[in-house]
Amino acid sequence: MRYTRAWRVLAPLMILAALAAGCSAAAGSSGGESGSTQPILIGQTAGTTGFMSVFDIPVQQGMQMAIDDINAQGGVLGRQLKLVTTNNETDVSKIQTAAQDVLDQGAEFVVTSCDFDIGGPAARVANDAGKIAMGCAGGPLYGVDGIGPLTYNFYPGSRTEGALLAEYAKEKGYTRPFVITDQSLEYPQVVGDFFEKRWADLGGTLAGKATYQNGDESAAAQIADAQRANPDVILAASYPPGGATLLRQLRAAGLTQPLLGTAAFDGTYWTGAVPGISDFTIPAAGGLTGDDPVAARNDFFTRFQQRFGQPAASANYPLEGYSMVQAIARAVDRAGSTDTTAVQAELDKFTNEDLLIGPTTFTPDCHVPSGRSMLLKTYTDGTPKVIGERTVQSLMGQAPC
């Protein structure tokens, strides 16, 4: 009888206490509001082995630098940022599993490989789980159009590269370009396609064109076509390592014309395969040797070398990684939450957002900042130097954001 009377007194108090505890727990786990003390997990599923490693590892390094910088300032909403990773091994059969693994670790945002073909499947896995995916793919389908409204591309894209190179070639006075387009990924295909389209839009005609497959040991057929065409400039719409093989064989065959290439060639990590490469011009996101017009980027690459013990292999990918974390932190801070819908709304308000990689604009219908300016670099004796900065003048009816 004593137990029964005591229970009658204590039970209502215990129920109230349980309800209060439950409400408190729910408040602490309801989408990452500022009351939580748990770290905000940012996931990267990348090709840290395989050919994508030369692009994805620098992205990871840039992400970690941004996370460290932001955490040193107190984090976001009173919470620290933390990077969790998986390796997709640049294997198309493992991309989706690797993406799911990073989500299973608790990632609230997912950064994928910087390519539509390799990163796209991972972005779809993240979006299907209600998470925002980010990448720096050249392919314009990495965004709203090709994947969905929860996927954001931080790179101007291969359309911008191709059109910008055509405008540069026209300004230089070239009249007979020859275009060699790598068919292995969407990225170089779009660069070559938009060079051709913009060149025609400018009233020009090609001397000729050929296709190439990254990994081919011989470019003899393409070289023979170029020799017959006798162009005054050659565009190698490709990327290392196969693209370096193509450049080496073009020069070895006596084709001394000026060369143009994609931003994937940025850096010197591949130049050992083409000793003394000269008169080769590419678009790029930043300068690596103190010649960037933005002082903050020069400082970043100085700190990068101090942090990792060697210079950055290329400019674009570390800057992309840093800027994606910047964007996440700002959008989460403004949303007051990591809730996907709230963060998406803030990202879609970005208008010339001052990220390290450059002013970035997103709208609900456009998640590819194709209007952002790019630097131009020319290689002389294997060393790239910034020669100017350009904003694409026209994407032939496709409005940049």
Side-chain angles (χ1 to χ4, degrees):
M1 293 295 291
R2 291 176 188 168
Y3 176 83
T4 302
R5 282 196 293 269
W7 176 251
R8 287 173 182 168
V9 173
L10 292 174
L13 297 175
M14 293 173 69
I15 291 170
L16 288 172
L19 288 171
C23 291
S24 175
S29 61
S30 58
E33 284 78 2
S34 57
S36 175
T37 58
Q38 296 299 311
I40 297 172
L41 302 186
I42 301 175
Q44 186 202 24
T45 176
T48 54
T49 56
F51 77 82
M52 283 300 297
S53 63
V54 296
F55 311 119
D56 287 348
I57 289 176
V59 170
Q60 186 177 106
Q61 292 170 321
M63 291 177 68
Q64 191 60 65
M65 286 183 67
I67 286 171
D68 291 347
D69 286 349
I70 292 167
N71 285 344
Q73 298 297 317
V76 182
L77 304 181
R79 301 169 64 183
Q80 296 283 283
L81 304 180
K82 181 179 178 181
L83 179 64
V84 295
T85 65
T86 57
N87 178 14
N88 64 40
E89 301 177 35
T90 319
D91 184 336
V92 293
S93 69
K94 298 179 180 180
I95 293 168
Q96 292 172 311
T97 300
Q100 187 59 55
D101 285 349
V102 83
L103 290 169
D104 291 343
Q105 293 183 55
E108 301 193 61
F109 305 92
V110 177
V111 173
T112 74
S113 287
C114 276
D115 177 74
F116 174 74
D117 299 278
I118 308 298
R124 292 187 185 96
V125 170
N127 288 181
D128 287 346
K131 302 298 184 183
I132 288 170
M134 294 181 172
C136 47
L141 291 178
Y142 191 99
V144 175
D145 293 340
I147 301 176
L150 294 181
T151 294
Y152 292 81
N153 195 342
F154 283 71
Y155 188 62
S158 41
R159 296 180 302 182
T160 298
E161 282 191 51
L164 186 149
L165 285 169
E167 292 167 1
Y168 169 75
K170 187 72 171 179
E171 182 181 288
K172 291 286 290 183
Y174 301 130
T175 60
R176 293 177 47 78
F178 188 88
V179 177
I180 303 174
T181 303
D182 194 324
Q183 300 295 301
S184 58
L185 295 172
E186 185 201 24
Y187 166 59
Q189 291 180 52
V190 176
V191 173
D193 181 51
F194 263 72
F195 181 96
E196 291 182 39
K197 288 179 177 177
R198 182 62 176 133
W199 186 254
D201 186 54
L202 290 166
T205 57
L206 298 180
K209 60 182 180 178
T211 60
Y212 175 74
Q213 189 73 28
N214 207 291
D216 284 352
E217 294 183 4
S218 173
Q222 295 84 353
I223 288 168
D225 288 344
Q227 288 171 329
R228 283 191 293 270
N230 192 29
D232 55 5
V233 65
I234 299 172
L235 168 63
S238 185
Y239 59 93
T245 300
L246 173 62
L247 295 179
R248 183 178 67 250
Q249 294 188 25
L250 288 171
R251 286 295 192 237
L255 290 163
T256 59
Q257 293 93 333
L259 298 171
L260 305 175
T262 69
F265 284 101
D266 184 33
T268 58
Y269 65 95
W270 58 271
T271 55
V274 196
I277 181 72
S278 293
D279 209 358
F280 177 50
T281 300
I282 63 167
L288 286 168
T289 57
D291 57 354
D292 196 298
V294 177
R297 293 202 290 252
N298 290 322
D299 175 68
F300 170 78
F301 285 114
T302 297
R303 293 195 299 123
F304 185 101
Q305 182 168 355
Q306 293 169 348
R307 168 71 185 273
F308 297 106
Q310 58 186 4
S314 64
N316 181 53
Y317 303 100
L319 291 173
E320 294 282 6
Y322 194 98
S323 298
M324 284 186 273
V325 173
Q326 275 186 311
I328 290 170
R330 292 181 191 180
V332 168
D333 183 64
R334 293 167 190 173
S337 169
T338 59
D339 173 75
T340 295
T341 301
V343 174
Q344 177 190 13
E346 294 301 328
L347 288 170
D348 286 345
K349 295 176 186 176
F350 276 19
T351 302
N352 289 325
E353 187 73 22
D354 187 20
L355 303 179
L356 185 61
I357 199 165
T360 300
T361 296
F362 294 129
T363 71
D365 298 322
C366 182
H367 289 175
V368 183
S370 52
R372 187 197 297 142
S373 65
M374 300 190 74
L375 302 182
L376 285 175
K377 294 181 178 180
T378 295
Y379 285 73
T380 303
D381 292 329
T383 300
K385 181 179 179 180
V386 174
I387 61 169
E389 183 173 9
R390 298 184 69 97
T391 300
V392 68
Q393 297 170 14
S394 174
L395 291 174
M396 288 77 70
Q398 300 187 35
C401 70

